[in-house]
Every structure is written in C-alpha cells, then in structure tokens.
Amino acid sequence: MTDLPAPSAAPQDAQIPAYAARLNAPQREAVLTTEGPVLMLAGAGTGKTAALTARLAHLIATRRAWPSEILCVTFTNKAAREMRERVGRHIGEAVEGMPWLGTFHSIGAKMLRRHAELVGLQSNYTIIDTDDQLRLLKQLIQQNDLDEKRWPARQLAGLIDRWKNRGLNPGDLDAVENESYANGRGAQFYKLYQDRLIALNACDFGDLLLHILNIFRKHHDVLAQYQQRFKYILVDEYQDTNQVQYLWLRLLAQARKNICVVGDDDQSIYSWRGAEVANILKFEKDFPGAAVVKLEQNYRSTPQILAAASGLIGANSERLGKTLWTELPAGEKIRVIGVWDAPEEARRVGEDIERLESEGAPLDQVAILVRAQYQTREFEDRFIQIGLNYRIVGGYRFYERAEIRDALAYLRTIAQPADDLAFERIYNQPKRGLGAKTLEAMRRHARQVQMPLAAASLDLCETDELPARARNNLVGLLGQFVHWREEAEKVTPSELLRMVLAESGYEDMLQKDRSAESAGRLENLAELARAMEEYETLGDFLEHVSLVMDNDRADDGEKVTIMTMHAAKGLEFDHVFLPGWEEGVFPSQRAIDEGGLASLEEERRLAYVAITRAKRRCTILHAANRRIFGQWTSSIPSRFIEDLPEEYISTESTMTGGASLWRANWSESEDPFAHVSSNRPDRSGARGPGWQRALSGGYDTKPKRLAEPGRSAASFAAQPRTDIALGARVFHDKFGYGCVTGQEGNKLTIEFEKAGEKRVLDSFVSLAD
C-alpha cells in the first residue's frame, strides 16, 4: 500500500472525521475508543454494522495500523463482503490490503495452511464436507464391528462436531462425554477419526480452528508471531461465538488487548450450534478495565414495539442490560390475538395480509415468523387457496422437504401401483439392502416385460436373478404395499400414513438418527398426518398436493416471507406476524425439557429477536387448540405473552370470553411450566391415534401380483421367447453356461454347469454358440 504513510503512534484527532460525524454519540465513542478492550453492546436495529465498519476505517485512515495488521472476524461470508464494501467506501482501495478480514473458518484455514506440518498435515490438505465425513465414520464403525444401526455415524459426527466446538481433543473427553457413544468408546472413535483424517491429509471444518488452537497452545512462538502481527482485533456477533472460537480469540488478544467485540447478549439464540452467551457476559472479567459502549438508539422499530420487547427481555436474569429507544413516531401497539385453532390462525393472518395489500403495503415487507418448520404447512395451504404469493426462506416449502416427499412417495405407490417414480424414491428408503444393482435389474426387467416397476419387481423375485437377501427384502416390501392397499379401504388417510411410517421402518429410522434435524423431520411428518385429517380419501389429498406443487412453480411478483425466527435474525419487515405463541410450541417444550432454565431464557431471547424484526406492526397469535401427533391439545398462551407490558399491547379474541381470555387462562394455571392436554374424538368417534402405533398383527408377505386399478395382473404377463426350447444351451452373465430343463411362460429352469439349478427370466439369457 504505497498511498499510505507508514503506521505511526496513535495521533490525537484534530477533528471528527466524516465517517464518524454521521454516527450518534455512542457509536462515535465506539469508533474513537481505539486502545484497549472494548465491548460494543449493540441492541437490535441500533446500527452496529455502521459503527464497526467506521471503526475499522478509522484504524486505517489514522495510520494506527496497516490493513494487514488488523484481524476482523465475522460469521458469514455475506457479512465479510458487506463489511469490506462499506470500509471501501470510507478509505478506498486500501481495503484490498486486508487479508485477515473474513469468517472464523476462512481465517483459520489460512493460518493452518502456513503451519499444517505442526499437526501432521501438509499445506495442500483437503477440507472434507459432511457427506465425506459420514462416509469415513461409517467405514470406521464397520471396521470396528460396531452396529451402525444402533450407533449411527450421524450421531458420532454430531458428537465430534460438538467436542471440536468446545475445543476438546480425544484425550480431553471426560467420562460422561466418553460414555455418550458406543458404551464408553467415544474417545476411541474420535481418535480413530482424527488419525484417519491425518492419514488422508484432510480435515473437517471443526479442525480449522481446533488445529490452530492446539498449535497456539503447544507452539508459543507461533502464537507470539500472530500476537505481534495483529495490532487490533475486531469481532462481529460476539454473542454467537462457541468455546473454541472464544479460546482462539482470547489467546490472540492477550498481548496487546486491543480487541473490540460487537454483540448483543439479548440476541444469543444459537446454543444448538454451540454458541455460548456466557462469552459476552464475561468479557469484562476476561479483559479487566474494558470500555463498555451501549448502542441503544434504535432506527428500525416504533416506540410501542421496542417498549414491549424491552419488557419481555427484562424477565431474563442472565443479561448485561440496556434500554432501546427511538425517535420514530409512537406507532401501533402490539396486537395479541387469540383464535380457536391453527386453521383459523392461518385464515386470520391471510385476511390481515390481504387487507394490508389492499392498503398498498408491499408483500415483500410482510413476514410470518414461526418457531418450528412444521408450522408453515397451515399457512402454505391457506395462501394457495386464496391465491396469496409467498416464499419460504431458509428452508424448503413444506411439501418439498425430503421426509415429506418420501411419505408422499409411499402414499402415491399405494394409490397408484404403476407410479414408477414414486416407487423408485422409496424402494430402499429406509435402507433395505437394495442397492443400485438391484434397481438396475428391476428397471431392465420392467422394460423387457413392459410392466410397472413394482409389478415387474415381484415378477423378478420369482427367479434367482437377485441375491437371496435382496430378493427377500424386496418381496417383503411388496407384500407391505399389498397390505397397505387393503388397509387404505378401511382407515382414514391420516391413519394410513401413520401405519406406513411405523411399519415401513421410516419412523424408526428418524428416531434412531440423533442429529439435530431428526426431531424436526418427525414434527413435519406429524403435521403431514394432521393435514390429511381434512380429507376423506387418499386420492383427494394427493390431488390437493399436486395442485399445491404446481402453484409453487410460480415465481413472479412480490411475496409474503415465511421463515423461522432463527432464520430471521438480522432482517427487518414493516409487518410481522408471530403465530403459535402457546406453551409447548413457543417456548418449545422440547427445548425446555433438554435445557431447563438456560433454554427457557434462550427461548425468551428468541421471542425478543422475533418482535424486534417488526418496523411498524407486530401481531402475535395463539390458538386454544392444536392437533399434535393426531391428538387435540388444549393450549394456554405462551408465558412470553404474560411478560409483555399491558400498556404496549392490545388484545382480542375470536373465542368466547373476549379479549381477556388469554390472561384468564394464565391465572388458572398454577404452574407456568404445566402443559394442559386433552384428547378430542376424531371423525370416527374414537380418540385420535398417538404417533406411536402398535401393530395390530402381521401381514401376508407371500408374493402377490400388483396391478393398476381396473387392470388384471394377468394382463401384465410377458410373452415368452420363441427362440429358446427345452434342452437349449444358454449363457447367463452371472451363472455362466447351462442347459434349459424347464419352461413356464417367460421363466426358465436351467441347470448351470457351475451354479446348479436356477430359475431365471428368459430376457437375462442368450443362446450359447
């Protein structure tokens, strides 16, 4: 950088530079307080990015450091690009000389390339992705005679990721952590995995920081080199750091202590990723004498919204404390609306959005933020009915999710045996030992005999073309479909789905998958079953889904945004709807069960984040009843509604009892942790079935010919070849040479010279020369 003089000692600022003059007083203080540790406690919508980039520009423009002497860490590539662009507007091309501005992983990878040999790697190491990681772990599990069904590779991958996020090596695991996998073999498999990565000259994403942390701890000269290099350290979203990131940063900052972290303890909502809110709470203890600058002026939301959000988050005990304020007009109070059930909730939101649209509000400025992904289904169906455009952000539309497509494929195959695409999707899902070779044989025979894939597969199973294990598994699956078709005439579509998910092993597969995603996938399937309760026949429901999927292809014009609260962090909308504020839904009962009071406080922070996404209007909805896992559940409003100061909210209800119903429900509940449940009879008069469904007996797995409705199985029969007669000598790719000893239609009995007597299809043999 020849256009900048050499860095010098920090000069006294003669006047406030232009980039700082545009900031408010606390922002300017955070920019100009350059020496020593600084905690920029930035509330929602208070312009923390503007302050952080101005500080970075200030350090360079005032010649306190070369651009290459500043470490600036973000969490996403998008945030890094935005920061680089903003700084560039302040200082021009000098920003191009900032090699240490990036994400934790990108900076860790750059450091590791320079010192790879210190952890047994070469500088050209490979970074493996999740698929490669799972494949490697499965190999290790098989090589060590462990039952992968009982101890899934995905579970081990999750544990290893958690250990690395905490800065733990295999030798650091305590007895509890070691027992968390394979009855005390956690450390063993962790070490086997790490050794295998070194042998492959590879690492996973967790290693990018763990390896560097290990290097810093063991090689003090390397640590001293980076401590000397980085004159200033800036960290964005500090409340989202995990343990290994925290330890890495603390080591780098110990020499100069010129570290500025920006964050908001009230927006720490990612503990499930390993983030620890304690890191920001103890910053002043880690760096005594740190300057704490609070950014409290909000530029996003109205005073009513901010006051309600502040009252809510004030119920948390573990926080540093700040009070947001704004100069914007007062605006509307937060609306709290009680409805009867989830369908009415979706109708009410749809009506309100249509009203906003008629008033000129752009749909792009309307958002629905849900706690769990399964909640989106009700809104998607309703918006399809009324023709309201929407988008799902941060995930798939409900009917596009993998587990939903799998379930629909089972149902389509039951309803239409000739649906080859549906059958191909689930013939080996969950795994049944039916691999690519089996599928190719099935396809080849289906083309030869001109039969649907399922029917042709059954025909194929009457021969020895497939290995015995694959043949038996395929026969069992086809027998299940016969059984389910018979049951489809006796039970409701919803009950049929539950039966299929239980008896196919699909539900069991997800329950054994101990990854963070599996619970949400089970919730989505439960919501699918609930959606099917509204339809009399399976055909009616599948037709509805087809119409929804066809509508999804439209991608023009403005759209309402539907997303989870977690995905909404950092975004803002004029109008925000927050449905499902009931105990058990939000706060999530599963989160509280797993994490207790700490998880409850994080759920409250999530509620705070959700409310502060709203710029002009915020509407909270809660339902008195929901169908969960096939059962009616009577709900009480979320405790977070009780936390909202009454003077900043307006309440209404479409239920008997009026606007005070939600408060009355709370006063009747002695235990705020209690979840009131009851079962309501379904259409048949019986109590709704639970998710766990006991099998009512076995089913006949004897091979039966499958046929399309209205077409006899016999009509699928293939014509035998006329060029093969008894006594003919033939050749088979798998069994070799043999002599035809029997013939029944297109099935041959052949005495093979080496394989003995086999029954095969004539399409798989050729006449021997």
Side-chain angles (χ1 to χ4, degrees), residues 231-269:
K231 293 184 176 180
Y232 295 93
I233 299 174
L234 288 78
V235 188
D236 194 15
E237 303 288 5
Y238 191 67
Q239 79 281 347
D240 293 335
T241 54
N242 59 32
Q243 185 70 0
V244 72
Q245 293 163 344
Y246 162 79
L247 293 171
W248 179 76
L249 286 168
R250 195 176 66 173
L251 283 174
L252 286 172
Q254 281 306 308
R256 298 179 182 271
K257 293 185 171 56
N258 285 336
I259 180 172
C260 174
V261 302
V262 184
D264 183 4
D265 55 319
D266 291 334
Q267 296 188 74
S268 179
I269 59 174

mmCIF file of all heavy atoms in Angstrom, residues 231-269:
data_model
loop_
_atom_site.group_PDB
_atom_site.id
_atom_site.type_symbol
_atom_site.label_atom_id
_atom_site.label_comp_id
_atom_site.label_asym_id
_atom_site.label_seq_id
_atom_site.Cartn_x
_atom_site.Cartn_y
_atom_site.Cartn_z
ATOM 1 N N LYS A 231 -2.312 -5.851 15.476
ATOM 2 C CA LYS A 231 -2.339 -4.735 16.410
ATOM 3 C C LYS A 231 -3.749 -4.477 16.941
ATOM 4 O O LYS A 231 -3.914 -3.967 18.054
ATOM 5 C CB LYS A 231 -1.792 -3.478 15.736
ATOM 6 C CG LYS A 231 -0.303 -3.567 15.404
ATOM 7 C CD LYS A 231 0.219 -2.265 14.838
ATOM 8 C CE LYS A 231 1.729 -2.340 14.607
ATOM 9 N NZ LYS A 231 2.276 -1.080 14.046
ATOM 10 N N TYR A 232 -4.743 -4.815 16.113
ATOM 11 C CA TYR A 232 -6.137 -4.627 16.525
ATOM 12 C C TYR A 232 -6.954 -5.843 16.092
ATOM 13 O O TYR A 232 -6.735 -6.392 15.009
ATOM 14 C CB TYR A 232 -6.728 -3.358 15.906
ATOM 15 C CG TYR A 232 -6.078 -2.091 16.395
ATOM 16 C CD1 TYR A 232 -5.021 -1.522 15.697
ATOM 17 C CD2 TYR A 232 -6.514 -1.469 17.561
ATOM 18 C CE1 TYR A 232 -4.403 -0.365 16.145
ATOM 19 C CE2 TYR A 232 -5.896 -0.313 18.021
ATOM 20 C CZ TYR A 232 -4.846 0.224 17.312
ATOM 21 O OH TYR A 232 -4.238 1.360 17.777
ATOM 22 N N ILE A 233 -7.896 -6.214 16.935
ATOM 23 C CA ILE A 233 -8.805 -7.327 16.639
ATOM 24 C C ILE A 233 -10.238 -6.823 16.761
ATOM 25 O O ILE A 233 -10.602 -6.199 17.770
ATOM 26 C CB ILE A 233 -8.572 -8.512 17.599
ATOM 27 C CG1 ILE A 233 -7.139 -9.056 17.465
ATOM 28 C CG2 ILE A 233 -9.589 -9.628 17.337
ATOM 29 C CD1 ILE A 233 -6.800 -10.134 18.477
ATOM 30 N N LEU A 234 -11.057 -7.098 15.747
ATOM 31 C CA LEU A 234 -12.475 -6.734 15.761
ATOM 32 C C LEU A 234 -13.293 -7.992 15.525
ATOM 33 O O LEU A 234 -12.965 -8.793 14.631
ATOM 34 C CB LEU A 234 -12.795 -5.704 14.676
ATOM 35 C CG LEU A 234 -12.285 -4.262 14.870
ATOM 36 C CD1 LEU A 234 -10.810 -4.166 14.538
ATOM 37 C CD2 LEU A 234 -13.080 -3.295 13.989
ATOM 38 N N VAL A 235 -14.337 -8.175 16.297
ATOM 39 C CA VAL A 235 -15.166 -9.383 16.207
ATOM 40 C C VAL A 235 -16.626 -8.986 16.129
ATOM 41 O O VAL A 235 -17.133 -8.280 17.018
ATOM 42 C CB VAL A 235 -14.941 -10.316 17.414
ATOM 43 C CG1 VAL A 235 -15.670 -11.638 17.187
ATOM 44 C CG2 VAL A 235 -13.464 -10.551 17.665
ATOM 45 N N ASP A 236 -17.313 -9.451 15.100
ATOM 46 C CA ASP A 236 -18.743 -9.197 14.931
ATOM 47 C C ASP A 236 -19.548 -10.353 15.544
ATOM 48 O O ASP A 236 -19.083 -11.492 15.590
ATOM 49 C CB ASP A 236 -19.065 -9.066 13.439
ATOM 50 C CG ASP A 236 -20.447 -8.480 13.188
ATOM 51 O OD1 ASP A 236 -21.040 -7.913 14.134
ATOM 52 O OD2 ASP A 236 -20.931 -8.591 12.053
ATOM 53 N N GLU A 237 -20.765 -10.047 16.013
ATOM 54 C CA GLU A 237 -21.690 -11.057 16.569
ATOM 55 C C GLU A 237 -21.005 -11.915 17.638
ATOM 56 O O GLU A 237 -21.090 -13.144 17.632
ATOM 57 C CB GLU A 237 -22.240 -11.946 15.446
ATOM 58 C CG GLU A 237 -22.947 -11.206 14.327
ATOM 59 C CD GLU A 237 -24.313 -10.654 14.728
ATOM 60 O OE1 GLU A 237 -24.677 -10.761 15.918
ATOM 61 O OE2 GLU A 237 -25.013 -10.121 13.855
ATOM 62 N N TYR A 238 -20.373 -11.259 18.580
ATOM 63 C CA TYR A 238 -19.597 -11.978 19.591
ATOM 64 C C TYR A 238 -20.474 -12.902 20.442
ATOM 65 O O TYR A 238 -19.988 -13.913 20.975
ATOM 66 C CB TYR A 238 -18.869 -10.966 20.485
ATOM 67 C CG TYR A 238 -17.838 -11.576 21.409
ATOM 68 C CD1 TYR A 238 -16.685 -12.164 20.902
ATOM 69 C CD2 TYR A 238 -18.001 -11.548 22.794
ATOM 70 C CE1 TYR A 238 -15.719 -12.708 21.751
ATOM 71 C CE2 TYR A 238 -17.052 -12.088 23.643
ATOM 72 C CZ TYR A 238 -15.916 -12.672 23.116
ATOM 73 O OH TYR A 238 -14.966 -13.215 23.960
ATOM 74 N N GLN A 239 -21.756 -12.589 20.575
ATOM 75 C CA GLN A 239 -22.636 -13.432 21.390
ATOM 76 C C GLN A 239 -22.851 -14.807 20.763
ATOM 77 O O GLN A 239 -23.337 -15.722 21.429
ATOM 78 C CB GLN A 239 -23.997 -12.755 21.604
ATOM 79 C CG GLN A 239 -24.968 -12.844 20.432
ATOM 80 C CD GLN A 239 -24.666 -11.842 19.324
ATOM 81 O OE1 GLN A 239 -23.879 -10.931 19.522
ATOM 82 N NE2 GLN A 239 -25.288 -11.998 18.172
ATOM 83 N N ASP A 240 -22.469 -14.966 19.498
ATOM 84 C CA ASP A 240 -22.662 -16.246 18.807
ATOM 85 C C ASP A 240 -21.405 -17.111 18.805
ATOM 86 O O ASP A 240 -21.400 -18.186 18.195
ATOM 87 C CB ASP A 240 -23.111 -15.998 17.363
ATOM 88 C CG ASP A 240 -24.505 -15.390 17.289
ATOM 89 O OD1 ASP A 240 -25.282 -15.594 18.240
ATOM 90 O OD2 ASP A 240 -24.811 -14.716 16.296
ATOM 91 N N THR A 241 -20.339 -16.676 19.456
ATOM 92 C CA THR A 241 -19.110 -17.466 19.459
ATOM 93 C C THR A 241 -19.265 -18.719 20.312
ATOM 94 O O THR A 241 -19.940 -18.709 21.339
ATOM 95 C CB THR A 241 -17.925 -16.649 19.997
ATOM 96 O OG1 THR A 241 -18.261 -16.116 21.285
ATOM 97 C CG2 THR A 241 -17.558 -15.529 19.053
ATOM 98 N N ASN A 242 -18.617 -19.803 19.868
ATOM 99 C CA ASN A 242 -18.582 -21.015 20.677
ATOM 100 C C ASN A 242 -17.280 -21.042 21.478
ATOM 101 O O ASN A 242 -16.487 -20.101 21.431
ATOM 102 C CB ASN A 242 -18.749 -22.260 19.806
ATOM 103 C CG ASN A 242 -17.676 -22.396 18.737
ATOM 104 O OD1 ASN A 242 -16.538 -21.985 18.922
ATOM 105 N ND2 ASN A 242 -18.047 -22.969 17.591
ATOM 106 N N GLN A 243 -17.048 -22.140 22.174
ATOM 107 C CA GLN A 243 -15.905 -22.190 23.086
ATOM 108 C C GLN A 243 -14.563 -22.135 22.350
ATOM 109 O O GLN A 243 -13.646 -21.425 22.778
ATOM 110 C CB GLN A 243 -15.982 -23.459 23.939
ATOM 111 C CG GLN A 243 -14.925 -23.584 25.013
ATOM 112 C CD GLN A 243 -15.100 -22.604 26.162
ATOM 113 O OE1 GLN A 243 -16.036 -21.814 26.168
ATOM 114 N NE2 GLN A 243 -14.195 -22.649 27.133
ATOM 115 N N VAL A 244 -14.424 -22.879 21.253
ATOM 116 C CA VAL A 244 -13.134 -22.897 20.565
ATOM 117 C C VAL A 244 -12.841 -21.531 19.938
ATOM 118 O O VAL A 244 -11.697 -21.066 19.928
ATOM 119 C CB VAL A 244 -13.084 -24.034 19.511
ATOM 120 C CG1 VAL A 244 -13.955 -23.732 18.298
ATOM 121 C CG2 VAL A 244 -11.652 -24.304 19.080
ATOM 122 N N GLN A 245 -13.855 -20.849 19.431
ATOM 123 C CA GLN A 245 -13.661 -19.505 18.884
ATOM 124 C C GLN A 245 -13.267 -18.528 19.987
ATOM 125 O O GLN A 245 -12.381 -17.681 19.805
ATOM 126 C CB GLN A 245 -14.946 -19.039 18.188
ATOM 127 C CG GLN A 245 -15.273 -19.831 16.933
ATOM 128 C CD GLN A 245 -16.710 -19.664 16.490
ATOM 129 O OE1 GLN A 245 -17.563 -19.204 17.252
ATOM 130 N NE2 GLN A 245 -17.000 -20.055 15.252
ATOM 131 N N TYR A 246 -13.919 -18.659 21.118
ATOM 132 C CA TYR A 246 -13.608 -17.806 22.269
ATOM 133 C C TYR A 246 -12.177 -18.001 22.739
ATOM 134 O O TYR A 246 -11.437 -17.026 22.955
ATOM 135 C CB TYR A 246 -14.608 -18.134 23.382
ATOM 136 C CG TYR A 246 -14.198 -17.692 24.769
ATOM 137 C CD1 TYR A 246 -14.343 -16.373 25.171
ATOM 138 C CD2 TYR A 246 -13.680 -18.618 25.683
ATOM 139 C CE1 TYR A 246 -13.967 -15.968 26.452
ATOM 140 C CE2 TYR A 246 -13.314 -18.232 26.961
ATOM 141 C CZ TYR A 246 -13.461 -16.904 27.338
ATOM 142 O OH TYR A 246 -13.087 -16.515 28.601
ATOM 143 N N LEU A 247 -11.742 -19.263 22.874
ATOM 144 C CA LEU A 247 -10.378 -19.545 23.334
ATOM 145 C C LEU A 247 -9.345 -19.039 22.337
ATOM 146 O O LEU A 247 -8.297 -18.495 22.709
ATOM 147 C CB LEU A 247 -10.212 -21.049 23.562
ATOM 148 C CG LEU A 247 -11.038 -21.644 24.711
ATOM 149 C CD1 LEU A 247 -10.950 -23.177 24.689
ATOM 150 C CD2 LEU A 247 -10.577 -21.103 26.057
ATOM 151 N N TRP A 248 -9.633 -19.201 21.058
ATOM 152 C CA TRP A 248 -8.742 -18.759 19.976
ATOM 153 C C TRP A 248 -8.569 -17.242 20.017
ATOM 154 O O TRP A 248 -7.448 -16.723 19.961
ATOM 155 C CB TRP A 248 -9.357 -19.237 18.661
ATOM 156 C CG TRP A 248 -8.655 -18.896 17.402
ATOM 157 C CD1 TRP A 248 -7.525 -19.480 16.903
ATOM 158 C CD2 TRP A 248 -9.062 -17.910 16.432
ATOM 159 N NE1 TRP A 248 -7.211 -18.924 15.686
ATOM 160 C CE2 TRP A 248 -8.132 -17.969 15.382
ATOM 161 C CE3 TRP A 248 -10.120 -17.010 16.351
ATOM 162 C CZ2 TRP A 248 -8.226 -17.137 14.258
ATOM 163 C CZ3 TRP A 248 -10.226 -16.182 15.243
ATOM 164 C CH2 TRP A 248 -9.283 -16.247 14.217
ATOM 165 N N LEU A 249 -9.688 -16.526 20.148
ATOM 166 C CA LEU A 249 -9.627 -15.070 20.188
ATOM 167 C C LEU A 249 -8.919 -14.569 21.444
ATOM 168 O O LEU A 249 -8.124 -13.629 21.398
ATOM 169 C CB LEU A 249 -11.044 -14.491 20.135
ATOM 170 C CG LEU A 249 -11.744 -14.543 18.784
ATOM 171 C CD1 LEU A 249 -13.219 -14.225 18.955
ATOM 172 C CD2 LEU A 249 -11.105 -13.564 17.792
ATOM 173 N N ARG A 250 -9.205 -15.194 22.585
ATOM 174 C CA ARG A 250 -8.617 -14.737 23.839
ATOM 175 C C ARG A 250 -7.088 -14.874 23.818
ATOM 176 O O ARG A 250 -6.367 -13.987 24.311
ATOM 177 C CB ARG A 250 -9.211 -15.511 25.011
ATOM 178 C CG ARG A 250 -8.936 -14.861 26.365
ATOM 179 C CD ARG A 250 -9.610 -15.585 27.485
ATOM 180 N NE ARG A 250 -9.063 -16.917 27.675
ATOM 181 C CZ ARG A 250 -9.393 -17.720 28.693
ATOM 182 N NH1 ARG A 250 -10.291 -17.315 29.580
ATOM 183 N NH2 ARG A 250 -8.873 -18.916 28.790
ATOM 184 N N LEU A 251 -6.596 -15.980 23.245
ATOM 185 C CA LEU A 251 -5.145 -16.146 23.138
ATOM 186 C C LEU A 251 -4.527 -15.075 22.256
ATOM 187 O O LEU A 251 -3.483 -14.493 22.588
ATOM 188 C CB LEU A 251 -4.822 -17.538 22.584
ATOM 189 C CG LEU A 251 -4.936 -18.711 23.559
ATOM 190 C CD1 LEU A 251 -4.722 -20.033 22.824
ATOM 191 C CD2 LEU A 251 -3.922 -18.568 24.693
ATOM 192 N N LEU A 252 -5.157 -14.780 21.124
ATOM 193 C CA LEU A 252 -4.605 -13.794 20.198
ATOM 194 C C LEU A 252 -4.587 -12.390 20.806
ATOM 195 O O LEU A 252 -3.715 -11.578 20.485
ATOM 196 C CB LEU A 252 -5.417 -13.787 18.902
ATOM 197 C CG LEU A 252 -5.202 -14.969 17.953
ATOM 198 C CD1 LEU A 252 -6.205 -14.922 16.817
ATOM 199 C CD2 LEU A 252 -3.770 -14.969 17.402
ATOM 200 N N ALA A 253 -5.558 -12.109 21.688
ATOM 201 C CA ALA A 253 -5.695 -10.747 22.205
ATOM 202 C C ALA A 253 -4.918 -10.502 23.490
ATOM 203 O O ALA A 253 -4.860 -9.352 23.962
ATOM 204 C CB ALA A 253 -7.177 -10.441 22.441
ATOM 205 N N GLN A 254 -4.318 -11.519 24.076
ATOM 206 C CA GLN A 254 -3.723 -11.378 25.397
ATOM 207 C C GLN A 254 -2.538 -10.413 25.424
ATOM 208 O O GLN A 254 -2.298 -9.742 26.428
ATOM 209 C CB GLN A 254 -3.297 -12.742 25.943
ATOM 210 C CG GLN A 254 -4.435 -13.567 26.500
ATOM 211 C CD GLN A 254 -5.242 -12.818 27.549
ATOM 212 O OE1 GLN A 254 -4.705 -12.287 28.508
ATOM 213 N NE2 GLN A 254 -6.554 -12.766 27.344
ATOM 214 N N ALA A 255 -1.782 -10.327 24.351
ATOM 215 C CA ALA A 255 -0.577 -9.485 24.368
ATOM 216 C C ALA A 255 -0.927 -7.995 24.316
ATOM 217 O O ALA A 255 -0.557 -7.226 25.210
ATOM 218 C CB ALA A 255 0.336 -9.862 23.205
ATOM 219 N N ARG A 256 -1.631 -7.566 23.296
ATOM 220 C CA ARG A 256 -1.933 -6.139 23.126
ATOM 221 C C ARG A 256 -3.241 -5.728 23.796
ATOM 222 O O ARG A 256 -3.421 -4.564 24.153
ATOM 223 C CB ARG A 256 -1.996 -5.797 21.638
ATOM 224 C CG ARG A 256 -0.686 -6.023 20.887
ATOM 225 C CD ARG A 256 -0.856 -5.669 19.426
ATOM 226 N NE ARG A 256 0.348 -5.899 18.646
ATOM 227 C CZ ARG A 256 1.319 -5.015 18.459
ATOM 228 N NH1 ARG A 256 1.229 -3.824 19.020
ATOM 229 N NH2 ARG A 256 2.377 -5.312 17.724
ATOM 230 N N LYS A 257 -4.191 -6.666 23.851
ATOM 231 C CA LYS A 257 -5.516 -6.419 24.447
ATOM 232 C C LYS A 257 -6.310 -5.350 23.699
ATOM 233 O O LYS A 257 -7.247 -4.769 24.242
ATOM 234 C CB LYS A 257 -5.396 -6.061 25.929
ATOM 235 C CG LYS A 257 -4.896 -7.206 26.789
ATOM 236 C CD LYS A 257 -4.908 -6.863 28.261
ATOM 237 C CE LYS A 257 -4.608 -8.083 29.110
ATOM 238 N NZ LYS A 257 -3.343 -8.761 28.795
ATOM 239 N N ASN A 258 -5.925 -5.094 22.444
ATOM 240 C CA ASN A 258 -6.703 -4.172 21.610
ATOM 241 C C ASN A 258 -7.765 -4.967 20.854
ATOM 242 O O ASN A 258 -7.691 -5.165 19.642
ATOM 243 C CB ASN A 258 -5.794 -3.430 20.625
ATOM 244 C CG ASN A 258 -4.985 -2.360 21.306
ATOM 245 O OD1 ASN A 258 -5.363 -1.852 22.354
ATOM 246 N ND2 ASN A 258 -3.851 -2.013 20.717
ATOM 247 N N ILE A 259 -8.755 -5.433 21.585
ATOM 248 C CA ILE A 259 -9.820 -6.232 20.998
ATOM 249 C C ILE A 259 -11.148 -5.516 21.198
ATOM 250 O O ILE A 259 -11.475 -5.061 22.302
ATOM 251 C CB ILE A 259 -9.873 -7.658 21.593
ATOM 252 C CG1 ILE A 259 -11.020 -8.458 20.946
ATOM 253 C CG2 ILE A 259 -9.980 -7.632 23.113
ATOM 254 C CD1 ILE A 259 -11.020 -9.927 21.327
ATOM 255 N N CYS A 260 -11.891 -5.381 20.123
ATOM 256 C CA CYS A 260 -13.231 -4.783 20.173
ATOM 257 C C CYS A 260 -14.234 -5.823 19.696
ATOM 258 O O CYS A 260 -14.139 -6.303 18.557
ATOM 259 C CB CYS A 260 -13.295 -3.536 19.283
ATOM 260 S SG CYS A 260 -14.956 -2.824 19.153
ATOM 261 N N VAL A 261 -15.162 -6.187 20.563
ATOM 262 C CA VAL A 261 -16.179 -7.159 20.182
ATOM 263 C C VAL A 261 -17.528 -6.455 20.131
ATOM 264 O O VAL A 261 -17.827 -5.586 20.946
ATOM 265 C CB VAL A 261 -16.230 -8.359 21.157
ATOM 266 C CG1 VAL A 261 -14.880 -9.053 21.208
ATOM 267 C CG2 VAL A 261 -16.665 -7.945 22.547
ATOM 268 N N VAL A 262 -18.317 -6.841 19.155
ATOM 269 C CA VAL A 262 -19.635 -6.255 18.948
ATOM 270 C C VAL A 262 -20.668 -7.360 19.094
ATOM 271 O O VAL A 262 -20.529 -8.434 18.500
ATOM 272 C CB VAL A 262 -19.755 -5.631 17.542
ATOM 273 C CG1 VAL A 262 -21.099 -4.935 17.382
ATOM 274 C CG2 VAL A 262 -18.611 -4.675 17.293
ATOM 275 N N GLY A 263 -21.689 -7.127 19.890
ATOM 276 C CA GLY A 263 -22.702 -8.162 20.052
ATOM 277 C C GLY A 263 -23.834 -7.704 20.942
ATOM 278 O O GLY A 263 -23.844 -6.590 21.465
ATOM 279 N N ASP A 264 -24.795 -8.608 21.091
ATOM 280 C CA ASP A 264 -25.978 -8.335 21.912
ATOM 281 C C ASP A 264 -26.332 -9.609 22.652
ATOM 282 O O ASP A 264 -26.777 -10.585 22.036
ATOM 283 C CB ASP A 264 -27.136 -7.875 21.017
ATOM 284 C CG ASP A 264 -28.379 -7.514 21.819
ATOM 285 O OD1 ASP A 264 -28.320 -7.551 23.065
ATOM 286 O OD2 ASP A 264 -29.419 -7.212 21.201
ATOM 287 N N ASP A 265 -26.140 -9.610 23.953
ATOM 288 C CA ASP A 265 -26.469 -10.804 24.728
ATOM 289 C C ASP A 265 -27.942 -11.155 24.620
ATOM 290 O O ASP A 265 -28.324 -12.324 24.744
ATOM 291 C CB ASP A 265 -26.076 -10.612 26.192
ATOM 292 C CG ASP A 265 -26.686 -9.362 26.808
ATOM 293 O OD1 ASP A 265 -26.719 -8.321 26.121
ATOM 294 O OD2 ASP A 265 -27.135 -9.419 27.967
ATOM 295 N N ASP A 266 -28.797 -10.162 24.357
ATOM 296 C CA ASP A 266 -30.234 -10.421 24.234
ATOM 297 C C ASP A 266 -30.598 -11.101 22.919
ATOM 298 O O ASP A 266 -31.745 -11.508 22.735
ATOM 299 C CB ASP A 266 -31.022 -9.107 24.344
ATOM 300 C CG ASP A 266 -30.966 -8.523 25.755
ATOM 301 O OD1 ASP A 266 -30.773 -9.306 26.705
ATOM 302 O OD2 ASP A 266 -31.113 -7.294 25.890
ATOM 303 N N GLN A 267 -29.639 -11.214 22.003
ATOM 304 C CA GLN A 267 -29.910 -11.885 20.735
ATOM 305 C C GLN A 267 -29.064 -13.143 20.559
ATOM 306 O O GLN A 267 -28.815 -13.581 19.435
ATOM 307 C CB GLN A 267 -29.667 -10.927 19.568
ATOM 308 C CG GLN A 267 -30.606 -9.717 19.558
ATOM 309 C CD GLN A 267 -30.474 -8.900 18.293
ATOM 310 O OE1 GLN A 267 -30.928 -9.287 17.214
ATOM 311 N NE2 GLN A 267 -29.852 -7.738 18.417
ATOM 312 N N SER A 268 -28.644 -13.745 21.641
ATOM 313 C CA SER A 268 -27.901 -15.007 21.580
ATOM 314 C C SER A 268 -28.900 -16.154 21.512
ATOM 315 O O SER A 268 -29.522 -16.527 22.515
ATOM 316 C CB SER A 268 -27.009 -15.155 22.813
ATOM 317 O OG SER A 268 -26.296 -16.369 22.776
ATOM 318 N N ILE A 269 -29.072 -16.741 20.321
ATOM 319 C CA ILE A 269 -30.139 -17.725 20.105
ATOM 320 C C ILE A 269 -29.648 -18.990 19.421
ATOM 321 O O ILE A 269 -30.450 -19.779 18.921
ATOM 322 C CB ILE A 269 -31.281 -17.109 19.259
ATOM 323 C CG1 ILE A 269 -30.762 -16.626 17.899
ATOM 324 C CG2 ILE A 269 -31.960 -15.978 20.010
ATOM 325 C CD1 ILE A 269 -31.835 -16.137 16.942
#
